[in-house]
Structure formats: C-alpha cells, structure tokens
Amino acid sequence: MTSCYLYASARTAFGRFGGALADVRPDDLAAAALTGVLAKTPALDPALIGDVVWGCANQAGEDNRDVGRMAVLLAGLPVSVPATTVNRLCGSSLDAAIQASRAVEVGDADVVVAGGVESMTRAPWVLPKPSRAFPAGNVTAVSTTLGWRLVNERMPAEWTVSLGECNEQLADRFTISRRRQDEFASRSHRLAAQAWADGFYDDLVVDVAGAGLERDESIRDGSTPETLAGLKPSFRADGTITAGNASPLNDGAAALLLGSADASTHIGSEPLARIAGRGVHALDPREFGFAPVEAAERALARAGIGWADVSAVELNEAFAAQSIACVDAWKIDPDIVNAKGGAIAIGHPLGASGARILGTLAARLRESGGRWGVAAICIGVGQALAVVLENVTGARP
C-alpha cells in the first residue's frame, strides 16, 4: 500500500440561509469548488482524475441524482471522469475524503478529488408519496432543510428529538453553562473575522460567479458574550442553546485534491499533508455531539501518535455545547482548536463542512509549521468521523 496526500483545497465562501448564495443551485456550487481546486494545479490534466467522491446530506432537490457527477459535467471536466456521491449527513465530505484516500492507498486511483456541497436555502419541501392515488385528507409538506423528516414510527421517540434538544441534554450531562457556550461562540466569530482580516482565507476561498460573496456571510464582527446573552433559548424555555451559540443554516461547497506521492509529477506540485489516520465512531443518537471524542482517539491510534503530539485541531462547531464537551474530554489546550474560527461563525452547510475543516487544518499546519493535526466532525443520529493529518511542508519535529 502507498500513502495518500492532500495536494490542494478550495471552498466557496459560505452563505447564510436565504443570503448571497440563495440563487445558486447546489450542483453549480459544487462545480465552483471543483473548478477552484483544480485551478490550483494547472499542470494536472483533468483526464487523469481517477474518481470524484462527493458528499451531500440532503439530496432531496436539485442535489439529487449523484450531484458529484453533475458537478464534474458542469465544471467542464472530461466526460471520462467518474463521480459518486456519499451521504453520512454532516460528515459527508469528510467521509468522501476518507473513501478517496483509501482508493489512493490501495492503488485504485492515483489522483482523486473529494469534497461536498449543501444548499440549505434551496432544500425543498417534500410530500410523502401516497400508497393509493388521490388521498381524501390533507397532506403535510415536510421541510428537508435540517433534522428528522418522515420519521419511521418504529424509531424510539427519545432518539428522534431535535438536534438542539440532544445538545441541551449533553449540556446538562456535563454541566456546561450558558455563559461558557456564549464565550465559545464569541471566540469563534472573533477568530474567524481576524483570520479573514489577516488574509488567511484568501488562498482557500474561490469565487462563485455572479454571487458577489467575498467573505463567509454568517460571521458577526464584534460579537461578545454579553450580546449573545441577550438571545432567547431556541429549544427549551429555560435552556442554554440559542441561535447565537449554535451553527447557522448555510450554503456552500468545498473540494480537496488527493493523490499518491508519485502523483506529484503530473499534479505539478508537492503535497501539503499526509492522511495519517482515520476514525469512525457511533453511539446513542442523542449523544451524537460527543461522538467525535472516540472517533479522534481511534484516528490518533491508527496514526501512532497521541494528543501531546497534536498542534492543531479543527472540530466542526455544530453547537458550542458539544464542542466544549469534546475539548474537555480530550484534555487539550483550547487555544489549538479552531484557531481561525469555527462553524458557529463560518457556517455549516452540512455536506461541505468536513472538506472545509480538513482543508483549513492543512493550511494551519503549513502556516505554523506544526507536524500533526486532527479534523473531527459530529454527525446527527449518533456518529462522528476524524482524520489525522501529517504536515509534509517542512514541519517542525
């Protein structure tokens, strides 16, 4: 087996729900990210791409029918370039990167593009198809934007509570206060705004034609714990989770170029990082926010390192409560987590977030010279994924 390396990453700026990307179809968003990552390696003949593995969580509207293949065609790649779409909900594009890395390692492909897309704005309402034509009663349209829909009546009711209620339960379990959640959320906005001001994202973010979106749209400059404290709880009257300390609804896409060491000759550049370890974990659906803890531990074990070796962590901030619970469980320095802002500020277009955090992690390691980093993401219905990266751009020992 050979090793798999990350050569380039690109993403669109993330738009807010109903915002600047609302008029852009998800397949067009995917094509923009795909075009953007390949533009970073102009020497690569696209015909040499062995596969495209693309993540998407919804797939109920314009993103249906293998949106990965649609992106390949819309991006103008040769029709000989294949593509598949994978769905592990919020972890879809990190799962895409994991599957792509395995294809490279076993020699099924030398170059693979992985990524993901989500337009939560354009997620449609759906009607259940009746078992008989022309039902006499009313039929309810169900939003596919987020969370459970068309729930199987055999599913235990305690498993199908809202994602927010799941995290209220997690906050209760670990005694995570509202103040602490608001402080975490404020930090996310502050660091994301600073990273944009410093130019960190300039090389990572590509334009979407006609959208006019130059920066992640959900970042709130000047957000403080005090301003966030004024927001009402969203899921319980006496709860701690608000619209301010949870990730928003977003639109966006992200892409990664992966390949073997030998692929550098036709990619035309040296790799940024090696995929050193992968981990997946599942538990009670209500505890999905805590699942990254064990997923990361498994990825670290497979990489042959421990937390003491890690200098950068990208943990997708679905909710401040679950992020805090994970960081506490890992017993790591919070300053190494999401140092360029996280999903509470940047946004969480479900199918794109895993590729975003992996690309951001590689860029952070390159900037700092740190050797090891971890990307981890929680997934609704009780799952999580994690990937360990090794910086190969002259990392410090």
Side-chain angles (χ1 to χ4, degrees):
M1 289 180 62
T2 186
S3 292
C4 180
Y5 295 87
L6 172 61
Y7 280 86
S9 68
R11 67 173 179 90
T12 69
F14 287 176
R16 61 178 174 80
F17 187 82
L21 298 180
D23 291 334
V24 184
R25 289 173 55 112
D27 46 5
D28 285 326
L29 283 175
L34 183 55
T35 301
V37 78
L38 293 178
K40 294 188 172 186
T41 55
L44 174 64
D45 179 356
L48 296 177
I49 298 171
D51 205 356
V52 173
V53 188
W54 207 256
C56 186
N58 197 351
Q59 302 179 68
E62 298 158 336
D63 48 10
N64 74 93
R65 294 294 190 258
D66 193 357
V67 68
R69 176 62 173 170
M70 300 304 115
V72 165
L73 298 175
L74 290 167
L77 272 63
V79 295
S80 59
V81 176
T84 187
T85 301
V86 300
N87 187 342
R88 204 190 286 254
L89 302 181
C90 303
S92 295
S93 57
L94 196 59
D95 202 3
I98 287 172
Q99 293 189 34
S101 69
R102 291 185 183 128
V104 171
E105 288 176 357
V106 301
D108 285 345
D110 206 31
V111 178
V112 182
V113 176
V117 66
E118 209 75 52
S119 175
M120 300 180 81
T121 297
R122 298 175 74 87
W125 293 278
V126 298
L127 294 174
K129 193 173 184 178
S131 56
R132 296 181 178 84
F134 307 112
N138 296 328
V139 179
T140 300
V142 178
S143 172
T144 67
T145 302
L146 180 70
W148 293 87
R149 78 285 300 257
L150 306 178
V151 181
N152 191 315
E153 63 181 14
R154 295 175 54 243
M155 192 72 70
E158 62 269 23
W159 284 357
T160 63
V161 296
S162 70
L163 303 179
E165 172 57 28
C166 289
N167 277 272
E168 288 284 11
Q169 294 177 21
L170 199 65
D172 288 345
R173 174 182 169 187
F174 293 107
T175 319
I176 300 171
S177 68
R178 165 74 181 271
R179 174 71 184 186
R180 197 174 174 202
Q181 292 176 56
D182 288 346
E183 288 173 346
F184 184 93
S186 174
R187 173 185 181 268
S188 184
H189 285 283
R190 174 172 53 82
L191 292 178
Q194 188 62 56
W196 271 102
D198 292 343
F200 175 82
Y201 287 114
D202 291 353
D203 187 51
L204 292 176
V205 175
V206 297
D207 291 335
V208 177
L213 183 61
E214 297 180 352
R215 192 185 84 155
D216 299 310
E217 200 172 10
S218 295
I219 299 172
R220 296 292 178 260
D221 299 44
S223 180
T224 67
E226 289 70 32
T227 59
L228 293 175
L231 299 176
K232 294 181 179 180
S234 299
F235 303 98
R236 294 181 183 175
D238 60 346
T240 62
I241 296 174
T242 71
N245 58 37
S247 61
L249 306 178
N250 297 95
D251 311 326
L256 308 161
L257 181 65
L258 302 170
S260 67
D262 291 342
S264 63
T265 57
H266 42 261
I267 289 175
S269 64
E270 295 300 315
L272 303 174
R274 179 177 69 92
I275 308 294
R278 298 170 293 244
V280 60
H281 183 57
L283 36 60
D284 186 304
R286 291 168 293 184
E287 299 175 354
F288 76 94
F290 199 59
V293 173
E294 180 59 25
E297 297 288 356
R298 294 182 181 188
L300 288 167
R302 286 166 183 151
I305 62 169
W307 281 113
D309 302 299
V310 174
S311 64
V313 175
E314 285 293 315
L315 171 63
N316 193 60
E317 298 169 354
F319 295 83
Q322 60 84 206
S323 300
I324 293 168
C326 291
V327 174
D328 286 354
W330 289 325
K331 296 181 172 61
I332 57 175
D333 181 356
D335 288 343
I336 71 170
V337 180
N338 300 351
K340 305 298 181 181
I344 288 174
I346 293 169
H348 182 20
L350 308 181
S353 289
R356 177 193 74 80
I357 62 173
L358 200 62
T360 301
L361 180 63
R364 284 182 58 196
L365 291 172
R366 185 177 187 181
E367 178 188 65
S368 68
R371 182 177 178 184
W372 299 101
V374 175
I377 192 165
C378 68
I379 302 166
V381 202
Q383 298 190 88
L385 293 170
V387 171
V388 173
L389 286 185
E390 181 185 17
N391 180 13
V392 294
T393 62
R396 296 190 307 267

